[in-house]
Amino acid sequence: NAGVTQTPKFQVLKTGQSMTLQCAQDMNHNSMYWYRQDPGMGLRLIYYSASEGTTDKGEVPNGYNVSRLNKREFSLRLESAAPSQTSVYFCASSETPFYQPQHFGDGTRLSIL
Amino acid sequence: AQSVTQLGSHVSVSEGALVLLRCNYSSSVPPYLFWYVQYPNQGLQLLLKYTSAATLVKGINDFEAEFKKSETSFHLTKPSAHMSDAAEYFCAVSPDNYGQNFVFGPGTRLSVLP
């Protein structure tokens, strides 16, 4: 019962480095989401994908890009990491766009020095 | 625009005591309302949701929440706290239940004291 799997779980980067956060779900869900969680601010939506082949910006997309590789996988890329992107990143999925985020991964804790 | 306020970033209760976590929202349309729980080092799990069918909503682990339109509130309660309830709780609002339109509150950390 894997659900939503995120890799890596932890990462430390230097300012200006790039990296890709991976997310995969095995529930045949159509919609996937990337959030960042910062203390006192709850979760904020970075990008989402309503269905395979589509992606759209959320509340805080600057500095990020995404790829919906197939129905299972949705990756988040930081092209040039900045200290302000230090956060915990969560991937989530839902059966359809018209449904609340149902399943969340355990998060990627990212520190940028 | 929607927003969610959770009064109290940290709430402590004794084991067996009533749990009350507050959530107030602003929305231009009748909203969908949700409570999620996050245990340490895990993602969020849905506790319960309000979708206009009934104002008192029951969720998992004996949690429930009541939608009060006049007070724009959706407070979460549990009659008797258990040590395993220690976690962070997030209230969320959406105007239409579309996943991309969710707005999460800042969260309330619940501590349960023995």
Side-chain angles (χ1 to χ4, degrees), chain A residues 100-102, chain B residues 34-37 44-49 60:
Chain A
Q100 73 275 3
Q102 296 169 267
Chain B
F34 306 81
W35 276 100
Y36 287 84
V37 60
L44 278 67
Q45 301 175 33
L46 182 67
L47 267 180
L48 50 81
K49 65 178 180 180
I60 61 174

Side-chain angles (χ1 to χ4, degrees), chain B residues 2-3 6 9 24 26 30 33 36-37 42 47 50 55-56 59 68 76 78 80 88 92 95 104 108:
Chain B
Q2 309 162 93
S3 66
Q6 292 184 240
S9 59
N24 289 87
S26 67
L33 293 158
Y36 287 84
V37 60
Q42 294 185 25
L47 267 180
Y50 166 76
T55 57
L56 184 63
K68 293 188 176 181
L76 182 70
K78 180 173 180 175
S80 177
E88 187 142 21
F104 286 86
T108 296

Side-chain angles (χ1 to χ4, degrees), chain A residues 11-62:
Chain A
Q11 185 71 48
V12 179
L13 293 178
K14 295 181 179 179
T15 298
Q17 288 185 315
S18 63
M19 80 161 294
T20 300
L21 280 62
Q22 307 287 352
C23 174
Q25 52 92 7
D26 61 3
M27 296 164 288
N28 203 37
H29 284 177
N30 287 296
S31 300
M32 298 184 73
Y33 312 85
W34 274 107
Y35 293 93
R36 61 177 289 172
Q37 182 180 30
D38 302 293
M41 302 188 72
L43 274 72
R44 293 181 292 167
L45 184 64
I46 305 172
Y47 271 92
Y48 66 94
S49 171
S51 60
E52 183 179 357
T54 69
T55 61
D56 284 288
K57 296 178 180 179
E59 181 185 353
V60 288
N62 291 345

Side-chain angles (χ1 to χ4, degrees), chain B residues 6-81:
Chain B
Q6 292 184 240
L7 185 63
S9 59
H10 187 201
V11 170
S12 293
V13 300
S14 298
E15 191 173 19
L18 172 72
V19 175
L20 171 61
L21 304 181
R22 300 178 186 275
C23 173
N24 289 87
Y25 68 91
S26 67
S27 177
S28 58
V29 299
Y32 293 78
L33 293 158
F34 306 81
W35 276 100
Y36 287 84
V37 60
Q38 183 182 30
Y39 298 104
N41 299 314
Q42 294 185 25
L44 278 67
Q45 301 175 33
L46 182 67
L47 267 180
L48 50 81
K49 65 178 180 180
Y50 166 76
T51 57
S52 78
T55 57
L56 184 63
V57 181
K58 294 188 182 298
I60 61 174
N61 299 336
D62 294 327
F63 281 96
E64 63 181 35
E66 186 173 9
F67 172 64
K68 293 188 176 181
K69 184 178 179 180
S70 61
E71 299 177 8
T72 61
S73 69
F74 190 57
H75 301 331
L76 182 70
T77 60
K78 180 173 180 175
S80 177

